[in-house]
Amino acid sequence: MVSLRHHQYHHHHQSITQIKYNREGDLLFSVAKDTVVNGWYSVNGERLGTYNGHTGAVWCVDCDWDTKNVLTGSADNSCRLWDCETGKQMALLETSSAVRTCGFDFSGNIIMFSTDKQMGYQCFLNFFDLRDSQQIKDNQPYMTVPCSESKITSAVWGPLGEYVIAGHENGEIDQFSAKSGELLKKVKEHSKQINDLQSSLFDSTTLDHIKTFRTERPVNSAAISPIMDHVVMGGGQEAMEVTTTSTRIGKFEARFFHAAYEEEFGRVKGHFGPINCVAFHPDGKSYSSGGEDGYVRIHYFDPHYFDFELEA
């Protein structure tokens, strides 16, 4: 079991749905099912402030490359753009169903977000250009891609903003062109819903399957270290199936695997429910996790972690 120095924060009253660092890593954003969007200083865990306005569970959050704007999507059928520093709402984009995923492209000028397949509406992937104020004013995306087969449950931008990689409820991973909306590639390596896409264990250009890391419990999130050949995974037994308060029995640890050998080499305890999201700090010296228990935990690696080598 790995032992790490950590900070723990509990300014959410319901389960955490996503956490996201800004590019420099000095800020960490967290969203949950309680309508609150929090910003934190990652170095000491001090709360920077909140972005208030959503009236439903907030499913997703992203920050642009220069930490000027924050983007959030919610079950209140809206995607909202915020001024990062002041917390002022800059834009409100209303939808017909819940917004499940959202993100800025590398330039920070283009945003994408997906809506859920519910209440008779199908899933759509929407693209807006923030430089065109008329698009925002009219609530009209420059491109809408219908996804009729299975709803998008996670999505990230590909390199240089040329395409979006989307994970679906049926386990598919699709690659959509950001210019034409064309489906460029499709693969299906997962058998169940994809909960999280980060720097993937697939080649982002070809969608070739590279590595597989297996556990005996559902995996809700995984992240790749920016400096080490390590993968951290979080998950655990479904909340409704947990009949004991023991964190060990529920398998609520974050689990570390070697990216090349696919072997587990460490676990970190802490959460009292399934881990819903994990993210490495951009400098690779710490990582954060958000759980069903409503806590955000920032873990700092000890010096000997960086000297560790897994024997082949």
Side-chain angles (χ1 to χ4, degrees), residues 50-63:
T50 60
Y51 303 86
N52 298 313
H54 283 296
T55 57
V58 186
W59 292 117
C60 52
V61 61
D62 196 21
C63 181

Side-chain angles (χ1 to χ4, degrees), residues 125 145 147 162-164 166 168 174-178 181-184:
L125 182 61
V145 182
C147 304
E162 294 178 350
Y163 48 81
V164 168
H168 292 259
D174 291 345
Q175 189 186 87
F176 295 99
S177 167
E182 179 188 357
L183 177 60
L184 302 174

Side-chain angles (χ1 to χ4, degrees), residues 22-267:
N22 66 340
R23 187 171 61 104
E24 289 84 5
D26 59 325
L27 299 181
L28 177 69
F29 299 92
S30 63
V31 293
K33 293 180 180 177
D34 59 6
T35 77
V36 178
V37 182
N38 278 318
W40 315 82
Y41 289 110
S42 64
V43 66
N44 60 8
E46 181 185 347
R47 186 160 66 155
L48 171 70
T50 60
Y51 303 86
N52 298 313
H54 283 296
T55 57
V58 186
W59 292 117
C60 52
V61 61
D62 196 21
C63 181
D64 60 7
W65 70 278
D66 57 357
T67 319
K68 184 180 177 183
N69 295 315
V70 175
L71 187 68
T72 56
S74 169
D76 64 6
N77 296 1
S78 76
C79 184
R80 299 176 191 235
L81 183 71
W82 313 85
D83 183 289
C84 181
E85 186 176 2
T86 66
K88 180 184 177 184
Q89 182 176 295
M90 308 294 289
L92 167 62
L93 301 169
E94 295 182 317
T95 60
S96 299
S97 57
V99 176
R100 181 67 55 171
T101 68
C102 66
F104 290 97
D105 78 338
F106 182 73
S107 71
N109 293 324
I110 309 293
I111 62 168
M112 65 83 184
F113 62 86
S114 70
T115 57
D116 275 358
K117 184 179 182 179
Q118 61 182 179
M119 299 184 297
Y121 297 98
Q122 69 179 93
C123 169
F124 289 101
L125 182 61
N126 298 295
F127 294 83
F128 281 84
D129 189 331
L130 298 178
R131 294 165 295 188
D132 185 350
S133 59
Q134 201 62 39
Q135 284 184 30
I136 308 300
K137 184 180 177 182
D138 297 342
N139 200 24
Q140 283 296 324
Y142 75 81
M143 185 169 64
T144 297
V145 182
C147 304
S148 55
E149 287 184 23
S150 177
K151 81 172 183 182
I152 294 173
T153 50
S154 54
V156 292
W157 281 93
L160 304 177
E162 294 178 350
Y163 48 81
V164 168
I165 302 166
H168 292 259
E169 196 172 33
N170 63 0
E172 273 184 6
I173 300 178
D174 291 345
Q175 189 186 87
F176 295 99
S177 167
K179 291 185 173 65
S180 66
E182 179 188 357
L183 177 60
L184 302 174
K185 291 185 176 66
K186 176 190 287 192
V187 298
K188 192 172 190 299
E189 296 287 347
H190 291 282
S191 58
K192 293 189 177 180
Q193 175 174 312
I194 297 173
N195 295 311
D196 185 32
L197 274 175
Q198 296 193 30
S199 297
S200 183
L201 302 178
F202 292 78
D203 183 300
S204 65
T205 304
T206 64
L207 294 189
D208 288 342
H209 177 205
I210 301 171
K211 294 287 179 182
T212 301
F213 303 90
R214 299 191 182 280
T215 69
E216 72 281 5
R217 289 291 186 272
V219 175
N220 293 331
S221 183
I224 301 175
S225 168
I227 61 170
M228 307 283 282
D229 289 329
H230 296 166
V231 174
V232 63
M233 290 166 42
Q237 201 172 333
E238 288 288 344
M240 68 181 79
E241 297 172 6
V242 177
T243 56
T244 171
T245 55
S246 168
T247 59
R248 185 72 185 88
I249 293 174
K251 303 287 193 302
F252 302 140
E253 307 104 333
R255 305 174 70 163
F256 284 79
F257 287 77
H258 194 281
Y261 304 128
E262 303 180 13
E263 288 187 19
E264 183 179 353
F265 65 84
R267 297 186 182 189

Side-chain angles (χ1 to χ4, degrees), residues 15-26:
S15 55
I16 309 297
T17 51
Q18 191 174 22
I19 54 177
K20 184 68 71 81
Y21 282 100
N22 66 340
R23 187 171 61 104
E24 289 84 5
D26 59 325

